[in-house]
Amino acid sequence: MSTTSADLIDLSSMDQKRFTSLVSRSSTASQADIQGVWATVSTILGRASSTPGFIPISQAVVARNSTPPPAVESALAELVSAAHEAATTNLCGSILGGKSSESDEYGDYAIFIGELDVLDGPGSDEDKAGKLLKALGLERWLDNSELQIVQSKKPPLPGSLDNVLPSPGSPAHASLASLSKVLSQQLRDILEFRVVTSGSGGFVLHFLLGYGSGGWQGLGGASTWSDE
């Protein structure tokens, strides 16, 4: 099944069964990856101020009133596939959350926001992160939470991989090299950040966003951290 921007679906009335069916028919994602995407997306929507759209073929959450061109949809599909492969071979649910997560329930999904004039000009990384979250309708997650900017030691790879050293030639090493290549080709001015919630069982939202063809886009994920 070929999915185009015309197939942008509304997540507000989506249940897991229909979500799984749509993504299964539209993409090559494994059932485990689809379940991980659903776990993350369905959770973050619980506190969304507006419901974003979703494109099954690229497993992409799309900001309200935005529509990625077909070429960008294909690029996002390649990006999320690389993220899933990296997570699988490095034994974690979300490559953005990494092995420090106490649960492998949550997976990574693609994000498309598009052009965002409010990011033009000077501004702190924290300000930019807040504006990106608002564009996605996720600004309520900042309530009683801590916004943290992540400075990766291995850009463009996420900071979760700073201390991950897979053996050269291993599938884990190859998958990280592939993800790094895709990120380098697709995104510039990458901003990585996370929202660490309080009173939510250590739930953490992760974002790795940059500017690419068509505007701001990238990856989102989730993890759980110990409350201790």
Side-chain angles (χ1 to χ4, degrees):
M1 175 180 174
S2 177
T3 302
T4 69
S5 55
D7 298 305
L8 191 67
I9 63 173
D10 182 0
L11 286 169
S12 62
S13 59
M14 188 68 57
D15 59 26
Q16 183 174 3
K17 182 177 181 180
R18 183 171 174 232
F19 180 92
T20 300
S21 176
L22 282 170
V23 179
S24 295
R25 297 200 312 266
S26 305
S27 75
T28 59
S30 69
Q31 289 298 302
D33 288 337
I34 296 171
Q35 290 172 11
V37 172
W38 169 256
T40 305
V41 171
S42 61
T43 300
I44 64 173
L45 289 180
R47 289 173 64 180
S49 60
S50 61
T51 303
F54 187 80
I55 299 178
I57 193 171
S58 53
Q59 297 152 74
V61 167
V62 179
R64 199 173 182 87
N65 300 321
S66 292
T67 304
V72 176
E73 289 183 24
S74 297
L76 290 173
E78 180 184 14
L79 176 58
V80 79
S81 177
H84 289 167
E85 180 65 18
T88 298
T89 57
N90 285 276
L91 305 179
C92 54
S94 161
I95 199 63
L96 298 188
K99 294 184 178 182
S100 62
S101 177
E102 296 191 348
S103 170
D104 291 334
E105 174 185 0
Y106 302 104
D108 300 306
Y109 60 96
I111 291 173
F112 181 79
I113 296 172
E115 300 292 346
L116 208 55
D117 293 341
V118 294
L119 291 185
D120 293 343
S124 68
D125 286 345
E126 288 80 4
D127 287 341
K128 292 179 180 178
K131 290 172 180 176
L132 288 165
L133 285 172
K134 186 174 183 179
L136 288 167
L138 301 179
E139 70 276 10
R140 289 179 181 170
W141 280 97
L142 293 173
D143 295 343
N144 300 314
S145 300
E146 181 182 359
L147 175 64
Q148 299 178 352
I149 303 300
V150 180
Q151 300 291 346
S152 173
K153 296 178 182 177
K154 302 177 182 179
L157 291 172
S160 62
L161 299 170
D162 284 351
N163 298 315
V164 175
L165 299 171
S167 301
S170 67
H173 187 274
S175 68
L176 293 185
S178 177
L179 177 59
S180 180
K181 181 179 180 181
V182 174
L183 286 167
S184 296
Q185 291 174 338
Q186 294 188 13
L187 303 178
R188 60 180 172 83
D189 300 329
I190 289 177
L191 177 62
E192 184 182 0
F193 59 95
R194 58 193 173 218
V195 179
V196 183
T197 65
S198 59
S200 301
F203 187 70
V204 183
L205 286 75
H206 300 268
F207 300 90
L208 191 153
L209 301 171
Y211 192 86
S213 176
W216 286 87
Q217 58 201 273
L219 292 169
S223 65
T224 54
W225 291 0
S226 171
D227 290 329
E228 299 179 356

